[in-house]
Amino acid sequence: MDFGLSELQLSMQENVNRFLAEEASLDRVREFAASDHSLAEDIWTGLVNLGVVGVLVPEEYGGLGLSAMDAAVIGECLGNHVTPVPYLATCVVAPRAIALAGTDSQKDEYLPKIADGSKTIGLALSEACAARGKNGASVRNGKLTGTASFVSDPHADYWLLADRDARLHVIANDARNLEVKVMPQVDRTRPLCELAFSNTPCDSLPNSGSTVLQHVLDVAWTTLAFDTLGAAQSMLDQAVEYAMNREQFNRVIASFQAVKHMCAEMAAEIEPSRSLLWYAGYALDEAPDDAHLHACHAKAHMAEVGTFVAKTATVVHGGMGFTDLLGLHYWFKRIGFNRQYLGGPEWLREQAAIAQNLAA
Amino acid sequence: MDLSYGPQYDTYRQELREFIETHRDQAPRNAPLKSDAAKSWQKLLIDHGYTARTIPKEYGGHGGDPDLLKARIIGEEFARAQVPGGLGGQGISMLVPTLLELGSEEQKRQFIPPTLAGEMVWCQGYSEPNAGSDLASLRTSATLDGDEWVVNGSKIWTSTAHLADWIFCLVRTESDAPKHQGISFLLFRMDTPGIEISPLVDMTLAPNFNEVFFTDVRVPKEQIVGKRGEGWYVANAILGHERDSLGDPNATLSRMTRLIELMKEETIGNERIIDNPVYRDRLMKIQARVMSLRFNDLRVLSSRLNNTDARLPRMISKLQGTELRHELEGLAIDAMGETGLMYGASEFLRDGGSWQNQYMYFLGLIIGGGTSQIQKNIISERGLGMPKEPKFEQSSSKTN
């Protein structure tokens, strides 16, 4: 019996955290946020060198061939440092989808380029879960028509899209009849865009369908939950550190029970969530019957805990928490993004109920 | 990550399941303390190693080797079968472990066997009217007079005092020492002259608690656990045992399973409660928290097996376990609406009235055994390294 992170996972986290602390500081994140959001090559290259970009690519295609849980714990580090890279899309969801649903030649085409970091893939899955409005895309005669909103990574080389029939397709960014419109949003570490298709060519993954789609969404939800976990832990750490140094009434504010209890409440919410997420991550590859229910609960619950921590940690910082000077809002917004992206907590809880036959 | 217990444990679990099914009818339901039914069930469980499993045979236990996984399987299976496990109570859950650790050989032989057998019932004398969260400021005194301690003062929140044969009691023996170093841990009979018990009815309307008053209660000198002035440290060993048992995720999981069924049975208008999205959303929110605490508990267990750090997950379990349980019971009441108000024996009750009862009872547990506020002090100070509140210079305490 061992319910905890493996030595490999702990050492990957240590390596990624050390690299991000040194090379992807908040100043670098600010620089990205103020840019046109094209790929942060320096951070990306560092992650390629660490091997984590190919974490889910099978070994025969040049990747590490690790599990979805391994990928998720790396995601936790990126949330912890609010790192602006297309990790979820390119390194987690796309390789899993292509490995499951692609032909051999499609795997040959995409997977090595993901593993060596030479191509990035964004996600166009929002119409496949908790869809808003009437957007969405359909395929006729092998060509796409329609619109996909809240698509990640406007500068990606490709996008992975789920159409109205739960089929997955890869679209190149230089495809004909494709219009890309940036959708400016609050979290500037995770750029979004809208894609408009009119008879746009695409590369359809023939073995896709609702089963594959559901699995890759479960993987995406769990990884997003880990991202929030990392961000929430960072906000708590920053709040405790600030409170230990900030003096008012001739004492550090960390000695006031009002402040201590806010920090204790954050820890008391984060720790059990971490335990839930560990199981949800484990279930993705090791307990498939449990994977969907726990992925729904992990993302929904972590969204609630993240929202509570984001607010509380900001408040512990007092007025400084509200400013841009400290940059705490990058974590606040990251958590806010993860809450809504690919389905908010109310919708996910309904999916959890459906998974147990408690709702239709 | 490896969540299997291993084949020998699967066999162990299977045997236990068969044992429970075979003996289910003998399990006592609401049997009074010291009744034959309660005692013979306890004996059966000890003989089979399903309670008092690691306590040596010479003290009336089963004499098994420590095994965290077996202990966990026992907890899980009795909860799952909704059959009572071994006897609880403060004597068995708190005093016995303390005596095993800190008692003299004579004390172990005298007290542990009858306590485990359910023949000797204990109550705990810790809190006082003016010593609650600040327990170390307790004032009940014991002064030595010849070969006897003479105890004066009072205790409060004393569960089962009216049923207990003995009390384990914190008293101030060193009036000049700093408050934590002036306390001793005494054991004495509840029929000693000078003890008065007054029932304290709680909000469930059950006389779960008592106030106990001591006037010149004479206690043989040797009935002390540990040395004079070390009682605070003896007591703290026990408080650890208590906190671990107050937020039991197995029991919460059983209540969650029952709650789902209840929400399928109850209706509002012509709609099942489970079909109402607002109630359903509340249920799902609570389910995620039940799962979180269950996996948190698994993480604590795993850390004990593998010697890894799990301080924070352990520290939060009493706070979160009791708060969650109170909320879960409250959702069941909301699901029943006016039916949820039914209380006291009648044909109108659901589940024997347990939802209202437990809703209130767990409010008591949020407060008892270290309030949620004290838990937050512990989490922030020992878990997050934040400083203690500064102490006032002058002492308003009358104990020093």
Side-chain angles (χ1 to χ4, degrees), chain A residues 57-101:
Chain A
V57 175
E59 282 173 292
E60 61 263 43
Y61 298 100
L64 297 179
L66 294 176
S67 70
M69 172 71 172
D70 297 317
V73 303
I74 294 167
E76 182 184 348
C77 303
L78 302 174
N80 197 265
H81 292 85
V82 290
T83 310
V85 290
Y87 176 78
L88 172 73
T90 302
C91 309
V92 181
V93 176
R96 185 48 72 97
I98 293 165
L100 285 175

Side-chain angles (χ1 to χ4, degrees), chain B residues 160-227:
Chain B
T160 67
H162 53 303
L163 304 167
D165 306 293
W166 285 72
I167 183 169
F168 52 101
C169 191
L170 292 179
V171 293
R172 186 159 301 281
T173 50
E174 327 299 312
S175 54
D176 301 334
K179 68 179 184 180
H180 292 90
Q181 279 135 46
I183 296 169
S184 295
F185 192 105
L186 298 189
L187 312 174
F188 50 94
R189 295 187 59 93
M190 283 300 283
D191 58 5
T192 317
I195 300 181
E196 246 183 280
I197 299 168
S198 156
L200 185 57
V201 175
D202 65 40
M203 68 189 290
T204 69
L205 301 184
N208 280 321
F209 298 113
N210 300 276
E211 289 180 274
V212 182
F213 302 91
F214 307 117
T215 313
D216 294 331
V217 176
R218 301 190 79 87
V219 176
K221 190 182 162 186
E222 65 279 4
Q223 285 176 197
I224 181 171
V225 181
K227 296 203 181 85

Side-chain angles (χ1 to χ4, degrees), chain A:
Chain A
M1 228 295 293
D2 181 11
F3 184 68
L5 300 186
S6 68
E7 285 190 20
L8 172 74
Q9 287 161 351
L10 290 170
S11 84
M12 283 193 314
Q13 282 199 329
E14 201 187 321
N15 291 336
V16 174
N17 279 327
R18 190 187 312 122
F19 165 73
L20 293 176
E22 286 166 8
E23 307 294 333
S25 65
L26 181 58
D27 284 344
R28 180 67 188 86
V29 174
R30 288 180 190 279
E31 218 176 279
F32 177 87
S35 74
D36 71 347
H37 294 161
S38 53
L39 184 68
E41 298 276 358
D42 49 342
I43 305 175
W44 193 246
T45 306
L47 293 173
V48 170
N49 293 339
L50 285 168
V52 301
V53 166
V55 60
L56 278 191
V57 175
E59 282 173 292
E60 61 263 43
Y61 298 100
L64 297 179
L66 294 176
S67 70
M69 172 71 172
D70 297 317
V73 303
I74 294 167
E76 182 184 348
C77 303
L78 302 174
N80 197 265
H81 292 85
V82 290
T83 310
V85 290
Y87 176 78
L88 172 73
T90 302
C91 309
V92 181
V93 176
R96 185 48 72 97
I98 293 165
L100 285 175
T103 61
D104 285 346
S105 67
Q106 285 171 326
K107 292 178 204 175
D108 286 333
E109 164 73 15
Y110 299 110
L111 292 177
K113 292 176 189 158
I114 292 174
D116 69 13
S118 58
K119 296 289 179 196
T120 59
I121 305 185
L123 291 184
L125 300 180
S126 288
E127 273 77 30
C129 51
R132 303 283 170 157
K134 292 190 174 123
N135 285 349
S138 315
V139 173
R140 231 180 340 168
N141 304 325
K143 299 273 169 62
L144 274 170
T145 304
T147 310
S149 302
F150 316 115
V151 175
S152 76
D153 309 299
H155 294 276
D157 298 296
Y158 305 95
W159 287 281
L160 177 75
L161 173 127
D163 69 19
R164 289 199 175 98
D165 303 312
R167 300 260 163 206
L168 295 168
H169 313 272
V170 178
I171 301 134
N173 72 352
D174 57 0
R176 279 176 289 111
N177 308 325
L178 172 65
E179 200 188 332
V180 183
K181 252 192 236 164
V182 169
M183 299 180 84
Q185 56 103 1
V186 65
D187 173 17
R188 288 203 264 159
T189 69
R190 318 278 264 291
L192 293 180
C193 61
E194 184 174 84
L195 302 181
F197 313 106
S198 49
N199 267 327
T200 309
C202 62
D203 188 8
S204 302
L205 304 179
N207 301 318
S208 59
S210 53
T211 309
V212 170
L213 176 62
Q214 189 55 70
H215 175 73
V216 297
L217 285 174
D218 290 341
V219 172
W221 292 338
T222 305
T223 309
L224 281 162
F226 271 86
D227 193 277
T228 296
L229 173 67
Q233 183 65 54
S234 173
M235 289 195 89
L236 170 59
D237 294 344
Q238 292 181 68
V240 170
E241 199 195 332
Y242 185 84
M244 298 286 271
N245 290 299
R246 167 77 174 167
E247 286 187 24
Q248 288 287 275
F249 305 102
N250 298 318
R251 46 198 267 216
V252 293
I253 62 169
S255 68
F256 288 103
Q257 279 193 336
V259 174
K260 285 159 71 173
H261 285 194
M262 285 199 281
C263 294
E265 284 163 10
M266 288 190 268
E269 292 298 330
I270 290 173
E271 288 309 323
S273 311
R274 186 190 308 281
S275 308
L276 172 65
L277 265 51
W278 283 358
Y279 187 77
Y282 164 86
L284 289 171
D285 287 337
E286 303 294 333
D289 290 347
D290 280 355
H292 176 56
L293 175 63
H294 287 80
C296 294
H297 272 318
K299 185 173 189 284
H301 183 64
M302 199 66 235
E304 305 289 15
V305 169
T307 300
F308 168 72
V309 171
K311 176 200 168 192
T312 309
T314 303
V315 169
V316 167
H317 282 79
M320 287 307 287
F322 185 64
T323 67
D324 182 46
L325 289 171
L326 286 186
L328 197 65
H329 63 90
Y330 281 97
W331 283 265
F332 183 98
K333 292 167 183 172
R334 180 100 166 189
I335 289 169
F337 177 92
N338 291 347
R339 181 182 173 100
Q340 308 303 341
Y341 184 56
L342 301 183
E346 291 79 9
W347 182 82
L348 284 160
R349 283 193 290 270
E350 190 65 351
Q351 302 310 301
I354 292 167
Q356 301 170 83
N357 295 317
L358 300 176

Side-chain angles (χ1 to χ4, degrees), chain B residues 274-344:
Chain B
I274 196 70
D275 294 333
N276 179 303
V278 177
Y279 289 102
R280 191 162 65 225
D281 190 63
R282 287 180 62 190
L283 178 72
M284 288 300 100
K285 265 187 178 170
I286 284 183
Q287 184 179 49
R289 291 166 59 201
V290 171
M291 285 176 168
S292 300
L293 285 184
R294 223 181 113 234
F295 292 121
N296 200 64
D297 188 60
L298 194 61
R299 185 168 150 210
V300 171
L301 172 75
S302 172
S303 77
R304 285 188 179 149
L305 290 168
N306 304 303
N307 284 317
T308 52
D309 177 40
R311 241 164 3 126
L312 264 178
R314 201 172 155 201
M315 273 177 204
I316 59 91
S317 71
K318 193 263 170 184
L319 170 69
Q320 296 292 50
T322 51
E323 300 273 0
L324 170 62
R325 185 68 184 275
H326 176 66
E327 210 175 304
L328 188 158
E329 305 287 333
L331 173 55
I333 294 169
D334 287 351
M336 291 183 281
E338 285 140 321
T339 302
L341 298 172
M342 298 298 111
Y343 199 63

